[in-house]
Amino acid sequence: YFSFVAPRRRAKLSSFWLWVALFLYSLGLVHSIITVVTRRQVIFRVALLAFSLGFVFHLVSLVEHAFLTHRWPVTTLAEATSLFAFIITAGFLLVYALTGVNSLSVLVFPIVFVMTLAAATSQPALGPIASPLLRATWVPVHISFALVGYSALVISFLAGIMYLIQERQVKSKKLG
């Protein structure tokens, strides 16, 4: 089917799954807003389920884009931003699965939503990359590992922020 579709049409089709992931991530954003306003986690289970499904559709989007362009999607800014949001999501889901700490979701959900929105609204690049330096085999591996490191940094930074907020609440005897 994909071989008969024009390149412009393939770009739109490839980004469809990213838009589905973005919609599901938006439920996490709604959860974050409600949590901050009401100071209670009301719809966390629904938001976590939507966020997890968004993660799956984001993976489908990345794999489909890689098959359509015949390269790992890290060579343009939009592709790297999308992959970065995906890795942050994977990191959060891993941390949640290991520790059960759900307060981190208030900070992670909006960041992933904004990064995915930025990637989804940018123009997708199709075809081969012009620069021979970006076509080297080590570049996608290097960028992918760098994004994994940055994602770990972002998640630990957000966990530190949450720790400081909770410590301040404990000291002021106002738990929220």
Side-chain angles (χ1 to χ4, degrees), residues 2 12 35 53 56 63-64 74 105 115 130 132 154 156 158 172:
F2 290 114
K12 300 288 185 199
T35 301
L53 285 173
V56 170
V63 169
E64 185 177 28
V74 294
S105 66
M115 291 178 72
V154 165
S156 61
L158 295 176
S172 67

PDB file of all heavy atoms in Angstrom, residues 2 12 35 53 56 63-64 74 105 115 130 132 154 156 158 172:
ATOM      1  N   PHE A   2       1.920   1.260   0.789  1.00  0.00           N
ATOM      2  CA  PHE A   2       2.727   2.467   0.913  1.00  0.00           C
ATOM      3  C   PHE A   2       3.503   2.783  -0.360  1.00  0.00           C
ATOM      4  O   PHE A   2       3.839   3.924  -0.611  1.00  0.00           O
ATOM      5  CB  PHE A   2       3.700   2.352   2.084  1.00  0.00           C
ATOM      6  CG  PHE A   2       3.012   2.393   3.410  1.00  0.00           C
ATOM      7  CD1 PHE A   2       3.010   1.294   4.239  1.00  0.00           C
ATOM      8  CD2 PHE A   2       2.348   3.528   3.812  1.00  0.00           C
ATOM      9  CE1 PHE A   2       2.371   1.334   5.453  1.00  0.00           C
ATOM     10  CE2 PHE A   2       1.696   3.576   5.023  1.00  0.00           C
ATOM     11  CZ  PHE A   2       1.705   2.474   5.844  1.00  0.00           C
ATOM     12  N   LYS A  12       1.969  12.665   5.644  1.00  0.00           N
ATOM     13  CA  LYS A  12       0.768  12.899   6.442  1.00  0.00           C
ATOM     14  C   LYS A  12       0.340  11.627   7.160  1.00  0.00           C
ATOM     15  O   LYS A  12      -0.044  11.641   8.298  1.00  0.00           O
ATOM     16  CB  LYS A  12      -0.384  13.397   5.566  1.00  0.00           C
ATOM     17  CG  LYS A  12      -0.095  14.685   4.853  1.00  0.00           C
ATOM     18  CD  LYS A  12      -0.099  15.820   5.819  1.00  0.00           C
ATOM     19  CE  LYS A  12       0.081  17.113   5.041  1.00  0.00           C
ATOM     20  NZ  LYS A  12       0.507  18.202   5.840  1.00  0.00           N
ATOM     21  N   THR A  35      -4.786  18.382  38.719  1.00  0.00           N
ATOM     22  CA  THR A  35      -4.041  18.093  39.946  1.00  0.00           C
ATOM     23  C   THR A  35      -3.474  19.364  40.562  1.00  0.00           C
ATOM     24  O   THR A  35      -3.527  19.541  41.777  1.00  0.00           O
ATOM     25  CB  THR A  35      -2.916  17.087  39.663  1.00  0.00           C
ATOM     26  OG1 THR A  35      -3.489  15.889  39.145  1.00  0.00           O
ATOM     27  CG2 THR A  35      -2.136  16.759  40.916  1.00  0.00           C
ATOM     28  N   LEU A  53      -1.019   4.341  26.394  1.00  0.00           N
ATOM     29  CA  LEU A  53      -1.473   4.121  25.012  1.00  0.00           C
ATOM     30  C   LEU A  53      -0.808   5.124  24.065  1.00  0.00           C
ATOM     31  O   LEU A  53      -0.461   4.773  22.933  1.00  0.00           O
ATOM     32  CB  LEU A  53      -2.983   4.236  24.919  1.00  0.00           C
ATOM     33  CG  LEU A  53      -3.782   3.052  25.465  1.00  0.00           C
ATOM     34  CD1 LEU A  53      -5.276   3.375  25.457  1.00  0.00           C
ATOM     35  CD2 LEU A  53      -3.503   1.812  24.646  1.00  0.00           C
ATOM     36  N   VAL A  56       2.504   3.832  23.127  1.00  0.00           N
ATOM     37  CA  VAL A  56       2.440   2.785  22.098  1.00  0.00           C
ATOM     38  C   VAL A  56       2.248   3.409  20.716  1.00  0.00           C
ATOM     39  O   VAL A  56       2.944   3.052  19.754  1.00  0.00           O
ATOM     40  CB  VAL A  56       1.309   1.779  22.413  1.00  0.00           C
ATOM     41  CG1 VAL A  56       1.074   0.840  21.251  1.00  0.00           C
ATOM     42  CG2 VAL A  56       1.620   1.012  23.682  1.00  0.00           C
ATOM     43  N   VAL A  63       8.385   4.068  14.330  1.00  0.00           N
ATOM     44  CA  VAL A  63       8.737   2.922  13.483  1.00  0.00           C
ATOM     45  C   VAL A  63       8.252   3.140  12.053  1.00  0.00           C
ATOM     46  O   VAL A  63       8.986   2.889  11.087  1.00  0.00           O
ATOM     47  CB  VAL A  63       8.172   1.614  14.083  1.00  0.00           C
ATOM     48  CG1 VAL A  63       8.296   0.460  13.105  1.00  0.00           C
ATOM     49  CG2 VAL A  63       8.873   1.295  15.392  1.00  0.00           C
ATOM     50  N   GLU A  64       7.028   3.629  11.902  1.00  0.00           N
ATOM     51  CA  GLU A  64       6.501   3.875  10.562  1.00  0.00           C
ATOM     52  C   GLU A  64       7.316   4.949   9.840  1.00  0.00           C
ATOM     53  O   GLU A  64       7.617   4.815   8.658  1.00  0.00           O
ATOM     54  CB  GLU A  64       5.037   4.287  10.640  1.00  0.00           C
ATOM     55  CG  GLU A  64       4.412   4.445   9.272  1.00  0.00           C
ATOM     56  CD  GLU A  64       2.943   4.784   9.333  1.00  0.00           C
ATOM     57  OE1 GLU A  64       2.503   5.406  10.324  1.00  0.00           O
ATOM     58  OE2 GLU A  64       2.233   4.430   8.384  1.00  0.00           O
ATOM     59  N   VAL A  74      16.286  10.564  13.718  1.00  0.00           N
ATOM     60  CA  VAL A  74      16.988  11.460  14.635  1.00  0.00           C
ATOM     61  C   VAL A  74      17.738  12.570  13.918  1.00  0.00           C
ATOM     62  O   VAL A  74      18.418  13.357  14.565  1.00  0.00           O
ATOM     63  CB  VAL A  74      17.996  10.694  15.530  1.00  0.00           C
ATOM     64  CG1 VAL A  74      17.310   9.754  16.468  1.00  0.00           C
ATOM     65  CG2 VAL A  74      19.024   9.974  14.692  1.00  0.00           C
ATOM     66  N   SER A 105       4.218  12.537  37.658  1.00  0.00           N
ATOM     67  CA  SER A 105       3.389  12.702  36.459  1.00  0.00           C
ATOM     68  C   SER A 105       2.943  14.141  36.241  1.00  0.00           C
ATOM     69  O   SER A 105       2.754  14.566  35.106  1.00  0.00           O
ATOM     70  CB  SER A 105       2.167  11.795  36.538  1.00  0.00           C
ATOM     71  OG  SER A 105       1.318  12.201  37.592  1.00  0.00           O
ATOM     72  N   MET A 115       6.494  18.742  23.895  1.00  0.00           N
ATOM     73  CA  MET A 115       7.518  18.273  22.958  1.00  0.00           C
ATOM     74  C   MET A 115       6.889  17.515  21.784  1.00  0.00           C
ATOM     75  O   MET A 115       7.305  17.681  20.635  1.00  0.00           O
ATOM     76  CB  MET A 115       8.533  17.395  23.682  1.00  0.00           C
ATOM     77  CG  MET A 115       9.395  18.170  24.649  1.00  0.00           C
ATOM     78  SD  MET A 115      10.535  17.120  25.530  1.00  0.00           S
ATOM     79  CE  MET A 115      11.666  16.732  24.230  1.00  0.00           C
ATOM     80  N   ALA A 130      20.847  15.096   2.951  1.00  0.00           N
ATOM     81  CA  ALA A 130      21.835  15.626   2.010  1.00  0.00           C
ATOM     82  C   ALA A 130      23.260  15.575   2.568  1.00  0.00           C
ATOM     83  O   ALA A 130      24.199  15.287   1.838  1.00  0.00           O
ATOM     84  CB  ALA A 130      21.468  17.055   1.644  1.00  0.00           C
ATOM     85  N   PRO A 132      26.578  14.299   4.058  1.00  0.00           N
ATOM     86  CA  PRO A 132      27.204  12.977   4.228  1.00  0.00           C
ATOM     87  C   PRO A 132      27.566  12.694   5.683  1.00  0.00           C
ATOM     88  O   PRO A 132      27.632  11.542   6.087  1.00  0.00           O
ATOM     89  CB  PRO A 132      28.440  13.037   3.347  1.00  0.00           C
ATOM     90  CG  PRO A 132      28.660  14.463   3.037  1.00  0.00           C
ATOM     91  CD  PRO A 132      27.369  15.186   3.229  1.00  0.00           C
ATOM     92  N   VAL A 154      16.529  14.751  32.615  1.00  0.00           N
ATOM     93  CA  VAL A 154      15.249  15.449  32.772  1.00  0.00           C
ATOM     94  C   VAL A 154      14.403  14.795  33.860  1.00  0.00           C
ATOM     95  O   VAL A 154      13.848  15.470  34.728  1.00  0.00           O
ATOM     96  CB  VAL A 154      14.477  15.500  31.434  1.00  0.00           C
ATOM     97  CG1 VAL A 154      13.026  15.879  31.627  1.00  0.00           C
ATOM     98  CG2 VAL A 154      15.145  16.457  30.470  1.00  0.00           C
ATOM     99  N   SER A 156      15.386  12.848  36.379  1.00  0.00           N
ATOM    100  CA  SER A 156      15.973  13.043  37.711  1.00  0.00           C
ATOM    101  C   SER A 156      15.843  14.499  38.158  1.00  0.00           C
ATOM    102  O   SER A 156      15.632  14.769  39.351  1.00  0.00           O
ATOM    103  CB  SER A 156      17.433  12.591  37.731  1.00  0.00           C
ATOM    104  OG  SER A 156      18.208  13.341  36.832  1.00  0.00           O
ATOM    105  N   LEU A 158      13.326  16.524  37.354  1.00  0.00           N
ATOM    106  CA  LEU A 158      11.927  16.677  37.763  1.00  0.00           C
ATOM    107  C   LEU A 158      11.656  15.980  39.090  1.00  0.00           C
ATOM    108  O   LEU A 158      10.888  16.489  39.915  1.00  0.00           O
ATOM    109  CB  LEU A 158      10.997  16.154  36.665  1.00  0.00           C
ATOM    110  CG  LEU A 158      11.035  16.929  35.349  1.00  0.00           C
ATOM    111  CD1 LEU A 158      10.153  16.256  34.312  1.00  0.00           C
ATOM    112  CD2 LEU A 158      10.638  18.377  35.555  1.00  0.00           C
ATOM    113  N   SER A 172       6.323  22.963  56.240  1.00  0.00           N
ATOM    114  CA  SER A 172       5.270  23.938  56.563  1.00  0.00           C
ATOM    115  C   SER A 172       4.007  23.261  57.100  1.00  0.00           C
ATOM    116  O   SER A 172       3.029  23.929  57.398  1.00  0.00           O
ATOM    117  CB  SER A 172       4.935  24.790  55.350  1.00  0.00           C
ATOM    118  OG  SER A 172       4.329  23.986  54.367  1.00  0.00           O
TER     119      SER A 172
END
